């Protein structure tokens, strides 16, 4: 058993490692090292917490750690990068549900301590948490109850919201925004009832208040995320990440665990900041996205003129051979096809021929913040040719060829040309300004968000149909 001094020192060390991890993830070149900071930090946090003072029940604890580690290892080996967004959403749900269970357990222990003290003032068996509760003054117990309420409410919202986000990202739930009759009034009513139950609980009502509070919060999480459209799902994932952090912080206060408080606050604040940044990148109102029910049509969409014209690999290769400058815009379709290695091979071949090749990355490309950057880093694409939207948007007008691989919303001119579009005002990559645009796409579908894209019908655009990896592998031998 380790002393409290060791545990406190470990908490500081783990917190520093978590901060370094978050800071490194903002840079593509430092991302891998940053991940290791996080791994080591979490290992330190788990070890010193598990063997700290007042911790027991190792007959249960050790098997649970082994089972969890085995499940994590299995998932890490099994899950492809294309499935990472829905995996992240699923992990958020675990954090939320854990917060609910811990808060329920904390209140049951509080009631057990108070009952024993009222009976004879002595408890025969103290858990570490019960011993802590027994030393609290009445006002401190009130704060404990507030922490329990916050943990249950935020955790329950996080759980069901993350489950629905997982379903939408995995294609198991319709990506269109859907709400029950009553819309936001149902959410508001559930929130008011939750507040009423919290007041009743703080004034001595029974455990049933916490059960009903969790049920209402489960509904709010479900209904909020169901009301958010597919175009906003990257923001939703980031937002749920923030919720899971605040839930963890609330439980950290309940358990008097400084490391959990710090870690939860880091996750919560970084997730909130990232959500705000992404909303700005998509021209979305942060509060509107959080409240849900957005991403739908604002009126009749503009009619699209022209037709989609297909081109084969030889036609694309001919244009690339004649081009001096090429920009590649990757999207979720590249991830689905696992085409990043083929893209990297194409880049090396074009650069060897003396052509200028760069990447244009939209902040919300894919279904997870930074999704495309991670895939390109995995394929060993040089960091210096991967540019953000603001860095490359003005260069499209002087670009010979743009290759769009599996993108829809982030290259949709309707965002600037159609005020009734669901993505009206969203900053996009202006690929249509290039001399020629080739869109690598499986078929004529509208993409994940269900929004039609006028880019596909423009005179300088050609549709390069087929699986992205197969299409690029067909193209590679034809490029000089």
């Amino acid at each position: 058993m380790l002393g409290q001094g060791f545990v406190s020192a470990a908490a500081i060390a783990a917190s520093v490692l978590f901060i370094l991890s978050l800071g490194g993830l903002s840079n593509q070149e430092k991302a891998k090292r940053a991940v290791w900071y996080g791994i080591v930090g979490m290992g330190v946090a788990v070890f010193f917490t598990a063997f700290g003072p007042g911790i027991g029940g190792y007959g249960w604890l050790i098997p649970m750690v082994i089972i969890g580690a085995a499940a994590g290892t299995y998932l890490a080996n099994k899950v492809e990068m294309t499935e990472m967004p829905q995996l992240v959403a699923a992990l958020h749900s675990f954090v939320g549900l854990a917060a609910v269970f811990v808060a329920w357990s904390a209140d049951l222990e509080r009631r057990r301590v108070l009952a024993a003290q009222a009976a004879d003032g002595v408890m025969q068996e103290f858990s570490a948490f019960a011993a802590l509760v027994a030393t609290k003054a009445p006002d401190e117990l009130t704060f404990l109850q507030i922490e329990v309420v916050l943990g249950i409410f935020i955790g329950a919202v996080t759980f069901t919201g993350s489950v629905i986000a997982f379903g939408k990202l995995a294609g198991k739930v319709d990506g269109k925004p859907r709400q029950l009759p009553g819309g936001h009034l149902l959410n508001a009513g559930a929130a008011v009832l939750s507040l009423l139950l919290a007041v009743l609980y703080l004034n001595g009502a029974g455990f049933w208040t916490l059960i009903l509070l969790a049920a209402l919060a489960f509904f709010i999480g479900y209904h909020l995320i169901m009301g958010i459209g597919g175009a906003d799902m990257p923001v939703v994932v980031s937002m749920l990440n923030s919720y899971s952090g605040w839930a963890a912080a609330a439980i950290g206060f309940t358990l008097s665990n400084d490391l959990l408080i710090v870690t939860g606050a880091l996750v919560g604040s970084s997730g909130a900041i990232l959500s705000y940044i992404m909303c700005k990148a998509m021209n979305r109102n942060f509060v509107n996205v959080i409240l849900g029910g957005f991403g739908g049509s604002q009126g009749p969409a503009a009619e699209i003129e022209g037709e989609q014209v297909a081109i084969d690999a030889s036609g694309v290769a001919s244009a690339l051979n004649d081009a001096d400058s090429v920009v590649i815009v990757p999207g979720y379709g590249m991830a689905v096809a696992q085409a990043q290695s083929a893209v990297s091979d194409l880049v090396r071949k074009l650069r060897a021929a003396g052509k200028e090749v760069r990447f244009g990355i939209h902040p919300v490309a894919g279904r997870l913040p930074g999704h495309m950057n991670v895939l390109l880093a995995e394929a060993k694409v040089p960091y210096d040719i991967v540019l953000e939207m603001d860095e490359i948007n003005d260069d499209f007008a002087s670009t010979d060829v743009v290759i769009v691989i599996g993108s829809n919303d982030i290259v949709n001119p309707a965002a600037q040309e159609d005020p009734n579009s669901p993505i009206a005002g969203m900053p996009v990559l202006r690929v249509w300004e290039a001399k020629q645009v080739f869109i690598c796409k499986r078929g004529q579908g509208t993409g994940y968000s269900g929004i039609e894209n006028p880019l596909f019908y423009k005179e300088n655009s050609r549709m390069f149909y087929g699986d992205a990896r197969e299409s690029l592998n067909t193209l590679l031998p034809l490029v000089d």
Side-chain angles (χ1 to χ4, degrees):
M1 192 69 66
L2 299 169
Q4 185 59 47
F6 283 106
V7 175
S8 299
I12 295 172
S15 299
V16 171
L17 288 169
F18 291 147
I19 292 170
L20 291 173
S21 180
L22 285 172
L25 290 174
S26 64
N27 183 290
Q28 186 180 358
E29 190 172 2
K30 299 177 181 177
K32 290 184 179 179
R33 188 190 315 156
V35 170
W36 277 107
Y37 286 144
I39 291 172
V40 174
M42 186 56 69
V44 170
V46 171
F47 178 83
F48 281 88
T49 299
F51 293 97
I55 304 299
Y58 291 106
W60 287 99
L61 179 61
I62 294 175
M64 291 300 102
V65 170
I66 293 173
I67 292 172
T73 302
Y74 172 78
L75 287 173
N77 290 322
K78 182 177 183 296
V79 172
E80 302 289 345
M81 279 301 302
T82 54
E83 300 171 324
M84 196 59 65
Q86 47 264 49
L87 175 63
V88 171
L91 293 177
H92 291 162
S93 72
F94 296 156
V95 176
L97 193 59
V100 173
F101 286 152
V102 170
W104 276 345
S105 299
D107 187 68
L108 290 174
E109 285 289 83
R110 180 187 68 86
R111 293 175 185 276
R112 190 165 75 95
V113 169
L114 293 178
Q117 290 176 338
D120 54 17
V122 178
M123 288 191 63
Q124 298 301 317
E125 295 182 8
F126 273 102
S127 67
F129 180 72
L132 178 66
V133 171
T135 63
K136 289 183 178 291
D139 58 339
E140 292 178 312
L141 287 177
T142 300
F143 278 108
L144 172 64
Q145 289 179 277
I146 294 173
E147 294 156 7
V148 165
V149 168
L150 291 175
I152 290 173
F153 185 80
I154 301 174
V157 169
T158 302
F159 172 68
T160 48
S162 298
V163 169
I164 297 302
F166 168 84
K168 289 197 173 192
L169 291 167
K172 300 179 184 298
V173 176
D174 191 349
K176 294 181 180 180
R178 299 187 184 280
Q179 289 186 323
L180 297 172
H184 296 302
L185 290 177
L186 284 177
N187 295 335
V192 170
L193 286 176
S194 297
L195 181 60
L196 177 61
L197 287 169
V199 172
L200 290 174
Y201 165 70
L202 293 174
N203 283 277
F207 187 75
W208 61 270
T209 55
L210 297 183
I211 296 176
L212 289 181
L213 175 65
L216 287 169
F218 283 145
F219 169 77
I220 292 173
Y222 155 80
H223 201 230
L224 276 177
I225 306 306
M226 281 297 295
I228 299 176
D232 288 332
M233 287 312 294
V235 180
V236 170
V237 173
S238 177
M239 182 180 69
L240 290 169
N241 179 55
S242 179
Y243 289 175
S244 68
W246 298 125
I251 294 306
F253 280 107
T254 301
L255 300 178
S256 296
N257 187 310
D258 294 338
L259 182 57
L260 195 54
I261 294 170
V262 172
T263 304
L266 284 172
V267 173
S269 57
S270 61
I273 293 169
L274 180 58
S275 299
Y276 176 73
I277 292 172
M278 293 178 68
C279 281
K280 288 188 65 176
M282 298 174 67
N283 196 39
R284 289 286 195 263
N285 182 286
F286 184 63
V287 175
N288 286 352
V289 173
I290 291 176
L291 291 178
F294 293 83
S297 177
Q298 307 300 312
E303 293 186 8
I304 299 177
E305 298 180 355
E307 61 179 350
Q308 297 185 19
V309 180
I311 193 171
D312 59 14
S314 61
V316 177
S318 177
L320 288 173
N321 291 334
D322 293 337
D324 293 320
S325 58
V326 178
V327 174
I328 299 173
V329 177
Y332 189 66
M334 184 187 79
V336 170
Q338 298 184 42
Q340 59 269 27
S341 294
V343 171
S344 183
D345 291 340
L346 177 62
V347 169
R348 281 193 289 270
K349 198 165 188 180
L350 291 172
R351 296 185 79 191
K355 304 179 189 299
E356 181 187 32
V357 184
R358 292 175 296 170
F359 285 82
I361 306 294
H362 193 280
V364 295
R367 298 188 189 176
L368 189 72
H371 198 180
M372 295 300 102
N373 299 74
V374 172
L375 287 178
L376 295 178
E378 181 184 60
K380 295 181 172 57
V381 171
Y383 304 118
D384 60 330
I385 66 172
V386 179
L387 305 179
E388 299 296 330
M389 176 179 63
D390 293 339
E391 298 176 298
I392 203 167
N393 240 353
D394 292 337
D395 295 345
F396 283 116
S398 58
T399 299
D400 295 323
V401 172
V402 171
I403 302 178
V404 178
I405 305 176
S407 295
N408 189 68
D409 298 329
I410 64 171
V411 294
N412 193 334
Q416 297 186 1
E417 299 171 357
D418 181 8
N420 290 327
S421 171
I423 59 172
M426 170 180 163
V428 293
L429 290 157
R430 301 193 301 270
V431 299
W432 59 89
E433 295 180 355
K435 293 178 182 178
Q436 297 181 84
V437 183
F438 301 110
I439 300 100
C440 189
K441 203 167 179 288
R442 286 181 180 271
Q444 297 186 355
T446 55
Y448 180 65
S449 66
I451 302 171
E452 194 67 69
N453 193 340
L455 170 69
F456 304 157
Y457 300 84
K458 289 187 177 291
E459 292 183 2
N460 63 335
S461 296
R462 294 294 182 268
M463 307 301 295
F464 188 25
Y465 291 120
D467 175 84
R469 183 170 59 178
E470 294 177 2
S471 296
L472 291 173
N473 285 334
T474 303
L475 175 64
L476 275 169
L478 305 176
V479 176
D480 296 336

